């Protein structure tokens, strides 16, 4: 139940990458990076709405890596709709983090997130089917929740750093925000200074 990341990334065949590269608007190499990172970003997000998960469950078709099995813009359009239903206004922040970590544009990152949503749905359907479980909202929600720690671990450092830099996003991944890290560093420095001062006072009194 905890191999959704692996199952989804296995769908990134050269054929799928080439097909999606046209929709993303980047070359195959950049598209592969965007999709791989987007998969972890999607699965690791703890803020998916119940309505969005329900919509994803209703569209899942095992073995269909394109999400809707058709050419043209249909996988992208369907993915954009699912993505918006799952994460609402947070999609822009997710795209910003993905773009920053992957060295791409926000528009390409948004399209990669949408297409990756379809890949996650396809992999989740196949995984649930292999375990004899129905593709319901409850089962999908449980599957996503079980894979969130693995998704965070699968993120490159650059993606975690990008998430931490966005206050509205960091909490959805359990990543300390940049402000929290600065505050911690400040507290540690203040503690170190206080310790040095105390040691100096004690040393002065000793002599």
């Amino acid at each position: 139940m905890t191999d959704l990341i692996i199952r989804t990334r296995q769908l990134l065949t050269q054929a799928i990458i080439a097909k999606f590269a046209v929709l993303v608007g980047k070359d195959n190499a950049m598209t592969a990076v965007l999709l791989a990172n987007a998969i972890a970003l999607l699965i690791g997000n703890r803020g998916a709405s119940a309505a969005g998960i329900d919509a994803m469950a209703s569209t899942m078709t095992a073995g269909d890596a394109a999400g809707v099995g058709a050419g043209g813009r249909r996988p992208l359009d369907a993915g954009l709709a699912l993505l918006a239903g799952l994460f609402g206004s947070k999609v822009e922040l997710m795209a910003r983090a993905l773009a920053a970590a992957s060295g791409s544009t926000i528009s390409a990152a948004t399209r990669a997130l949408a297409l990756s949503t379809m890949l996650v749905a396809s992999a989740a359907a196949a995984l649930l089917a292999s375990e004899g479980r129905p593709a319901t909202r409850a089962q999908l929600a449980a599957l996503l929740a079980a894979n969130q720690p693995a998704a965070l671990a699968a993120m490159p450092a650059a993606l975690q750093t990008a998430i931490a830099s966005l206050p509205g996003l960091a909490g959805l991944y359990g990543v300390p925000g940049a402000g929290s890290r600065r505050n911690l560093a400040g507290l540690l420095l203040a503690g170190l200074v206080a310790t040095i001062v105390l040691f100096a006072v004690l040393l002065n009194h000793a002599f």
Side-chain angles (χ1 to χ4, degrees), residues 3-5 7-8 11 43 56-57 60-63 117-131 133-136 139-141 143-144 147:
D3 59 353
L4 183 57
I5 295 281
R7 287 291 191 103
T8 308
L11 297 177
I43 297 173
M56 177 181 274
M60 292 194 313
T61 305
T117 302
M118 306 307 291
L119 293 174
V120 171
S122 180
L127 188 55
L128 290 175
S130 71
E131 297 175 352
R133 293 189 287 150
T136 62
Q139 293 289 349
L140 178 57
L143 180 63
L144 291 171
N147 281 271

Side-chain angles (χ1 to χ4, degrees), residues 16-99:
I16 287 296
I17 291 171
K19 176 181 179 179
F20 284 0
V22 176
L23 298 173
V24 171
K26 296 294 180 181
D27 62 27
N28 288 9
M30 177 54 70
T31 298
V33 171
L34 283 167
L35 292 172
N37 286 342
I39 289 166
L41 195 60
L42 289 165
I43 297 173
N45 193 315
R46 303 174 183 177
S49 71
I53 293 175
D54 192 42
M56 177 181 274
S58 70
T59 64
M60 292 194 313
T61 305
D64 181 7
V68 292
R73 285 185 53 91
R74 285 183 60 190
L76 178 59
D77 292 338
L80 286 169
L82 281 182
L83 183 63
L86 284 165
F87 303 113
S89 62
K90 300 299 182 184
V91 171
E92 181 183 355
L93 292 176
M94 294 169 70
R96 286 171 57 188
L98 179 59

Side-chain angles (χ1 to χ4, degrees), residues 114-203:
L115 292 166
S116 295
T117 302
M118 306 307 291
L119 293 174
V120 171
S122 180
L127 188 55
L128 290 175
S130 71
E131 297 175 352
R133 293 189 287 150
T136 62
R137 181 177 69 184
Q139 293 289 349
L140 178 57
L143 180 63
L144 291 171
N147 281 271
Q148 284 163 0
L152 188 61
M155 292 180 187
L159 184 54
Q160 293 194 32
T161 299
I163 291 170
S165 71
L166 298 168
L169 198 61
L172 297 177
Y173 292 88
V175 175
S180 298
R181 292 178 179 179
R182 286 194 297 269
N183 291 340
L184 178 59
L187 288 172
L188 290 174
L189 179 60
L192 177 61
V193 171
T195 300
I196 293 173
V197 170
L198 178 59
F199 179 76
V201 170
L202 292 175
L203 187 63

